[in-house]
Amino acid sequence: MTHEAEAYIDDSRELRDDDTFCFSCTPDKECFTACCHDLNLVLMPYDIFRLKHRLGITSQEFLDRYTSVHVGQGSGLPVVMLQMEGPYLKCPFLEEGKGCSVYEDRPGACRTYPLARIAARSKDREGVDEFYYLVREPDCQGFNGGRQWSVREWKEHEGIAEYNEMNDLFGELLQAKTETGVQSLHADQIELFYMGCYNLDEFRRYFLEGPNLDRYMEPEEVVKSISEDELELLKFAIGWVKKKLFQGSCFACGLPPQE
Ligand code: SF4
Ligand code: SF4
């Protein structure tokens, strides 16, 4: 989970649900919370959704206060990262001596460690094929004398399923960009992507409260459901961005995707 996590991925073994590994992360470890510093932690749309609810702030406030935005290498799309703070580059949600202050709503990457999920969608098959690699961070003592887990048990214990489900939805959007062969997007289209995926309160204002013709093209029950349920709104927003940017011309900004 550190800035070099990819370098520590053990890709010699693909772990599926019934495969096992040994790990225990407990407060008595000398390394306790050391891993919550100096992270390059990419936030997914659902991570932001959970954290902004946890903190009781708007998505705009969350993005302004806790994140930095980068341009994805290759994709050219905005990538939102959790901003570390202070001289020791501490995660803003780490309470020294206590642990994670947002534990029940911590990001998917924090839950999944020491596993890294690899998910692929095939054009010919429904659903996602997933497996996991172990990430062996050199300073992590969790592998010393850890209890045995199956991947399935770890996923249940850490509450990973709903994060995976939402990340797969986001993955479909990224895959749609790849499949269209679109190399770069206009600034307006990038803004639309950022708003729909990360700034959900702004998307609500834009789609449900503003003079947006698209709203009237949606069935009444869909508009009702996304008005009343914010998770449904996030799912809708991700699908809507996909449709707008990669499945036809972009009516929102009046521009076709750039080749
Ligand atoms: S055991 Fe590993 S995951 Fe747990 S606190 Fe230590 S470094 Fe972090
Ligand atoms: S969100 Fe919690 S678990 Fe994740 S890095 Fe921050 S303090 Fe650690």
Side-chain angles (χ1 to χ4, degrees):
M1 214 167 69
T2 70
H3 52 293
E4 288 148 341
E6 282 179 15
Y8 302 125
I9 286 181
D10 173 3
D11 60 3
S12 62
R13 205 174 142 225
E14 290 183 7
L15 299 169
R16 297 191 187 259
D17 277 354
D18 292 322
D19 292 321
T20 58
F21 62 99
C22 291
F23 189 76
S24 284
C25 173
T26 46
D28 57 313
K29 304 261 182 204
E30 257 176 52
C31 57
F32 188 59
T33 73
C35 53
C36 299
H37 294 78
D38 197 8
L39 296 170
N40 274 347
L41 207 167
V42 174
L43 294 173
M44 298 288 130
Y46 187 60
D47 292 329
I48 295 172
F49 173 89
R50 289 284 292 255
L51 285 167
K52 82 162 184 103
H53 274 278
R54 169 70 179 223
L55 300 166
I57 58 179
T58 66
S59 50
Q60 185 68 64
E61 285 169 323
F62 180 84
L63 292 164
D64 289 346
R65 226 185 274 175
Y66 296 112
T67 70
S68 56
V69 183
H70 306 259
V71 179
Q73 268 185 355
S75 76
L77 295 170
V79 173
V80 177
M81 300 189 71
L82 190 61
Q83 200 152 24
M84 302 292 122
E85 62 181 29
Y88 301 108
L89 299 176
K90 178 180 89 63
C91 169
F93 306 123
L94 175 64
E95 276 184 36
E96 293 291 6
K98 287 188 180 164
C100 180
S101 63
V102 294
Y103 189 77
E104 295 80 4
D105 298 288
R106 66 201 184 284
C110 306
R111 292 166 185 270
T112 309
Y113 181 82
L115 300 177
R117 181 176 187 246
I118 312 293
R121 189 177 292 274
S122 143
K123 264 188 175 173
D124 320 318
R125 249 178 350 105
E126 277 288 296
V128 166
D129 181 34
E130 69 165 27
F131 63 85
Y132 291 80
Y133 287 135
L134 265 185
V135 183
R136 293 184 182 275
E137 296 266 1
D139 297 330
C140 174
Q141 295 174 15
F143 296 98
N144 305 341
R147 66 153 272 198
Q148 181 171 287
W149 300 88
S150 70
V151 169
R152 180 182 287 104
E153 285 169 337
W154 186 253
K155 281 175 7 188
E156 280 170 16
H157 185 260
E158 298 293 310
I160 295 169
E162 58 214 87
Y163 283 78
N164 286 351
E165 188 193 326
M166 290 301 292
N167 292 347
D168 288 344
L169 203 60
F170 184 55
E172 276 180 38
L173 163 60
L174 302 182
Q175 191 172 344
K177 176 177 184 294
T178 308
E179 283 169 4
T180 55
V182 171
Q183 294 298 316
S184 59
L185 298 175
H186 302 282
D188 288 352
Q189 293 171 317
I190 289 175
E191 263 179 46
L192 201 80
F193 180 95
Y194 182 77
M195 174 179 67
C197 296
Y198 303 119
N199 197 345
L200 194 59
D201 294 306
E202 190 55 34
F203 179 78
R204 181 193 302 100
R205 252 193 304 280
Y206 169 81
F207 192 84
L208 288 174
E209 296 162 18
N212 193 320
L213 287 179
D214 281 6
R215 181 171 73 243
Y216 300 103
M217 292 163 75
E218 295 296 331
E220 223 173 272
E221 59 274 18
V222 170
V223 175
K224 185 171 186 299
S225 152
I226 63 177
S227 305
E228 292 172 353
D229 183 335
E230 199 166 81
L231 183 56
E232 288 307 313
L233 180 67
L234 177 59
K235 291 178 186 170
F236 176 86
I238 293 172
W240 185 82
V241 170
K242 181 171 84 169
K243 202 162 61 181
K244 279 305 228 191
L245 298 186
F246 307 122
Q247 293 176 340
S249 60
C250 177
F251 298 112
C253 60
L255 296 167
Q258 284 185 340
E259 291 305 321

